[in-house]
Amino acid sequence: MSMFKKFSKKQTAAATHDPATFDGEYVLNVENLNVRFETDDATVYAVNGIDLKLKKKQTLGLVGETGAGKTTTVLSLLNLVPDPPGVVSADRIEVNGREVTKMSAAELQTMRGKEISMIFQDPMTSLNPVMTVGDQIAESILLHENVDKKTAAKLAGDMLETVGIPAERGSEYPHQFSGGMKQRVVIAIALACHPNILIADEPTTALDVTIQAQVLELMNGLKEKYQTSMVMITHDLGIVAETCDEVAVMYAGRIVEKGTLEDVFRRTKHPYTEGLFNSLPKMNDRSSKLTPIPGLVPDPTVIPEGCAFAERCPYAKESCFTKHPENRWVSDTHMVVCDAYDDPDFHIKRGR
Amino acid sequence: MWKYICKRIAVLIPLVFLVSFIVYALMDFAPGDPVRSLVGENMTEEQLEQKREELGFNDPLIVRYGRYMKGVFQGDFGKSMYGGKDVLTEYMSRLPYTLKLAGLAILLTIIIAIPLGVIAAVKHNSWIDTIASTTAMMGLSIPGFWLGLMLMLLFSLQLEWLPTSGAEDGIKSYIMPAITLAVANASLSTRTTRSSMLDQIRADYLRTARAKGVNEKTVILKHALRNALIPIITIIGSQFTVMFSGAVVVESVFSWPGVGNLTLTAIRGHDITAATSYAILTTVLTAVTLLAVDVLYAYIDPRIKAQYTGK
């Protein structure tokens, strides 16, 4: 079966790379990432020139509406964008200092789960329904750690205990678990080999609010315990405030504003970020209506000539529709992509 | 699980009554006089009447059926009207031929259909997929009796490699009937495997497996295929049962000494007892096979097992 040939190399053949010895500044370093999906009907431009950097033990929040390209961005870090139809190009996608796009299939398999792993959005569908949860955790351990099956099963049990599930439930199947428990299992799988980078793709979106809090608390604790760097994808600004050191706001496949949590939350610059904050329910005036951002996310099959947000932007000038906005650094840590700041007196209202 | 199996076997009893009554009644209502076809043309009406009385044909249908079923439940499936052979012995002597042929055909089906279907799904929309799908389409469209005759024409008459019919030449005699049966089965199973795999291939849990560092071969064969197996087993299992009785066409083309041909002979000869007994035996065999398939589901999918056991 030649179709499997390129994957069937023994995994141990790949040079083992110990993330602990990596001493660069950034565990993740992405420059000019572009991802498009080419189908027969149209080309969808999902990610358009994104730069991302993540320091050791830091948590970066990736915020934006559904369809902003958050998931696609992180999938390309693991080289897991489905191809076809996905086409990924970038100047640089480095994980622990190594270029992902140049890795062989075997090298990628050694990296995934061991150096970088991912918690997926929907725990209901992210687990294999016909494998016991214990086996699903042990599978990862068997692949990356030099242990026998029995030890792997034991370690999988320990991992379940770590996420707050009795080890003996490892012999049960996903359908025997509740949603919150399943998400704990997904977290256990992701952390089974103690990767130094963890990607959490809306880990609590599918869960109800009380369970959300438990899962977040668990993740924060484990992040501390294993000294993990993390990318947290979410559209919940409350979660960002609780978990992140830095924030990048995405819109239509681009980062429109990024900075430290303080920068983005206290010194908001971009009109889109302002819109996100304004659309939050007001705690001290519960009878007031929500303030949505007017309009819809732009059609991802068309690359806009000017700023992608211009159509929905209350501050848009004529030039916004024709000219791409530039990256502006308003401080050492804070970047905004908006040409309104050509006018030195411009400031957004941000009336909360 | 055992409770479930017992329940399913209990359901067999009314099923046997239903099937046997329908077959018995249909055979009885069918035009033609079984007694006349038994004794021949040159008998007087009185002699015929005497023979009828002797064989019990003058009793009402329900009485005859009741008498017959009483025998069946005592393990007596009656005797053939012609030659007076014991029906059960006859059936059991022919069954191995049918089972071996069906088994070989299913083996061929599995060997062809599952790899082909998996590859077609993994390489969705590629040339391999196109070829596999087109071939499967063709295989489904070819009538079995025609394919059998064509194979016979080529391999028996032209090349003289294989015997035309019968089962006397060992493995050689199995080749053509098995291929004829397998072509249609494999075609349908390839299509089922392909579509079932396509349902799984973009599933989130495969992404989870890839993100763990599982290699592509394991992702497809261990994670995706196991989840795709239920519809595949359903199709292959029902094809297996169809061959117990439905291989009649192929069995008669190749003069195969199996139960399909045996049943056909009984029906043609208006042998009510034999035909009904064969129908009952085939029903039981089919039901047991389907039960085995259902039990297999439980081993593949723990969610189905939970339904059976009520947990």
Side-chain angles (χ1 to χ4, degrees):
Chain A
M1 277 201 256
S2 64
M3 60 187 270
F4 294 129
K5 209 169 231 167
K6 63 176 167 173
F7 302 111
S8 57
K9 264 187 233 158
K10 258 273 185 229
Q11 300 219 342
T12 45
T16 25
H17 180 84
D18 186 2
T21 62
F22 172 68
D23 57 359
E25 190 182 359
Y26 301 111
V27 288
L28 283 179
N29 191 357
V30 178
E31 281 175 20
N32 193 23
L33 173 69
N34 290 280
V35 184
R36 58 179 193 275
F37 294 100
E38 291 179 347
T39 64
D40 291 342
D41 304 323
T43 301
V44 174
Y45 298 92
V47 177
N48 307 298
I50 275 187
D51 296 343
L52 271 186
K53 286 182 169 58
L54 178 64
K55 285 184 196 152
K56 275 185 187 169
K57 294 180 216 168
Q58 294 265 299
T59 299
L60 168 71
L62 212 50
V63 188
E65 281 164 279
T66 305
K70 308 181 297 282
T71 303
T72 310
T73 303
V74 292
L75 280 179
S76 48
L77 298 174
L78 285 93
N79 206 351
L80 275 178
V81 175
D83 168 26
V87 182
V88 179
S89 67
D91 294 347
R92 190 198 292 272
I93 306 177
E94 284 178 2
V95 171
N96 289 327
R98 290 193 308 156
E99 179 62 40
V100 169
T101 50
K102 291 194 183 114
M103 285 188 191
S104 68
E107 282 174 314
L108 279 170
Q109 284 151 21
T110 340
M111 175 190 80
R112 293 175 191 152
K114 178 69 190 163
E115 292 181 42
I116 179 169
S117 64
M118 193 157 166
I119 297 169
F120 292 97
Q121 183 170 357
D122 188 353
M124 310 301 161
T125 57
S126 296
L127 294 172
N128 188 337
V130 302
M131 262 174 99
T132 65
V133 299
D135 283 350
Q136 296 191 51
I137 301 170
E139 186 177 34
S140 183
I141 298 170
L142 273 173
L143 282 170
H144 298 295
E145 313 288 345
N146 194 16
V147 295
D148 59 15
K149 273 195 178 167
K150 215 171 147 191
T151 321
K154 197 199 160 289
L155 289 172
D158 294 348
M159 203 61 224
L160 275 176
E161 297 275 357
T162 312
V163 296
I165 298 173
E168 60 268 19
R169 293 204 64 186
S171 60
E172 292 181 19
Y173 291 91
H175 72 271
Q176 290 162 294
F177 288 78
S178 68
M181 296 285 258
K182 279 185 204 167
Q183 192 60 301
R184 284 164 188 269
V185 173
V186 173
I187 293 171
I189 292 174
L191 292 176
C193 299
H194 314 317
N196 69 335
I197 309 161
L198 181 63
I199 315 278
D201 184 2
E202 307 203 25
T204 58
T205 306
L207 308 176
D208 63 59
V209 183
T210 46
I211 308 296
Q212 274 187 15
Q214 289 177 13
V215 168
L216 278 180
E217 201 177 313
L218 171 74
M219 285 179 60
N220 271 337
L222 292 174
K223 193 181 78 183
E224 289 299 316
K225 183 174 174 187
Y226 297 124
Q227 309 262 307
T228 319
S229 319
M230 186 155 93
V231 177
M232 170 71 89
I233 297 181
T234 178
H235 48 239
D236 185 333
L237 292 165
I239 293 177
V240 176
E242 273 176 55
T243 56
C244 299
D245 306 303
E246 283 177 64
V247 187
V249 182
M250 279 186 77
Y251 186 77
R254 287 192 167 80
I255 289 175
V256 292
E257 178 167 8
K258 71 177 169 190
T260 61
L261 189 64
E262 283 278 295
D263 288 337
V264 177
F265 274 55
R266 298 263 169 254
R267 297 179 284 274
T268 312
K269 290 287 181 221
H270 199 280
Y272 176 64
T273 320
E274 181 190 33
L276 286 180
F277 280 115
N278 285 346
S279 59
L280 290 176
K282 292 172 184 63
M283 291 301 278
N284 45 13
D285 183 9
R286 285 169 180 253
S287 59
S288 70
K289 282 192 177 170
L290 298 177
T291 323
I293 305 174
L296 296 169
V297 186
D299 181 358
T301 58
V302 184
I303 294 188
E305 212 177 310
C307 172
F309 188 61
E311 294 230 354
R312 304 169 74 183
C313 179
Y315 311 105
K317 302 170 294 181
E318 224 165 273
S319 63
C320 292
F321 290 91
T322 51
K323 188 177 153 285
H324 255 300
E326 283 162 32
N327 295 0
R328 270 158 225 277
W329 289 91
V330 291
S331 74
D332 286 347
T333 52
H334 193 181
M335 186 198 82
V336 62
V337 189
C338 178
D339 276 349
Y341 291 95
D342 283 346
D343 175 2
D345 292 335
F346 176 79
H347 61 91
I348 55 168
K349 292 183 198 112
R350 182 73 206 275
R352 265 226 266 188
Chain B
M1 196 76 205
W2 282 109
K3 214 171 138 194
Y4 173 79
I5 294 173
C6 292
K7 233 181 353 191
R8 285 282 301 267
I9 290 174
V11 172
L12 246 176
I13 296 167
L15 186 70
V16 162
F17 271 103
L18 192 70
V19 168
S20 58
F21 187 72
I22 291 173
V23 174
Y24 201 92
L26 278 178
M27 289 292 291
D28 194 62
F29 293 147
D33 185 345
V35 181
R36 187 179 284 281
S37 52
L38 176 69
V39 294
E41 296 296 326
N42 48 3
M43 261 191 168
T44 64
E45 200 56 42
E46 275 145 38
Q47 283 172 305
L48 261 178
E49 195 54 37
Q50 198 192 340
K51 191 81 184 168
R52 275 203 196 101
E53 195 60 48
E54 192 188 310
L55 291 171
F57 271 91
N58 281 346
D59 294 332
L61 169 68
I62 199 77
V63 173
R64 278 180 286 140
Y65 174 72
R67 196 159 54 210
Y68 164 72
M69 283 310 277
K70 202 178 145 201
V72 167
F73 276 88
Q74 287 164 353
D76 174 16
F77 282 82
K79 293 203 180 340
S80 165
M81 243 168 56
Y82 307 94
K85 278 189 194 155
D86 185 61
V87 169
L88 185 64
T89 321
E90 188 72 3
Y91 189 86
M92 286 305 168
S93 71
R94 301 288 197 94
L95 188 62
Y97 289 102
T98 292
L99 284 185
K100 274 191 260 176
L101 181 59
L104 192 64
I106 286 298
L107 196 68
L108 278 176
T109 302
I110 293 170
I111 292 172
I112 298 167
I114 292 183
L116 205 60
V118 168
I119 293 171
V122 170
K123 303 269 173 192
H124 184 42
N125 284 338
S126 71
W127 60 270
I128 301 178
D129 184 21
T130 313
I131 290 178
S133 305
T134 320
T135 319
M137 233 8 225
M138 264 168 56
L140 262 182
S141 320
I142 297 174
F145 68 90
W146 182 83
L147 180 65
L149 292 174
M150 289 302 123
L151 287 175
M152 230 187 255
L153 210 61
L154 179 64
F155 291 105
S156 307
L157 300 179
Q158 293 285 326
L159 300 168
E160 295 182 2
W161 287 351
L162 300 169
T164 46
S165 58
E168 291 89 40
D169 288 287
I171 186 72
K172 266 174 132 186
S173 17
Y174 281 87
I175 296 175
M176 283 197 299
I179 289 177
T180 310
L181 284 171
V183 163
N185 287 346
S187 302
L188 186 60
S189 307
T190 303
R191 288 170 61 84
T192 311
T193 307
R194 176 179 175 271
S195 69
S196 184
M197 279 298 284
L198 280 177
D199 284 345
Q200 302 295 333
I201 219 141
R202 293 269 183 238
D204 284 351
Y205 65 83
L206 295 189
R207 194 171 62 177
T208 310
R210 290 193 182 101
K212 272 191 254 183
V214 176
N215 68 44
E216 201 56 25
K217 187 174 158 184
T218 314
V219 167
I220 297 299
L221 297 182
K222 185 170 158 199
H223 289 268
L225 184 58
R226 175 128 186 240
N227 277 283
L229 269 183
I230 295 286
I232 301 172
I233 286 180
T234 308
I235 288 290
I236 294 182
S238 53
Q239 286 175 340
F240 198 54
T241 61
V242 161
M243 277 189 285
F244 295 149
S245 49
V248 173
V249 174
V250 171
E251 285 198 2
S252 68
V253 166
F254 288 100
S255 313
W256 194 254
V259 293
N261 240 342
L262 187 68
T263 312
L264 197 64
T265 317
I267 294 171
R268 279 200 190 126
H270 234 297
D271 191 343
I272 303 182
T273 310
T276 312
S277 294
Y278 297 148
I280 291 174
L281 291 166
T282 306
T283 304
V284 172
L285 212 58
T286 306
V288 169
T289 311
L290 288 180
L291 177 60
V293 169
D294 284 354
V295 171
L296 204 56
Y297 286 171
Y299 280 96
I300 290 167
D301 195 331
R303 288 166 296 183
I304 296 176
K305 191 172 190 170
Q307 280 173 20
Y308 290 170
T309 51
K311 247 191 248 170

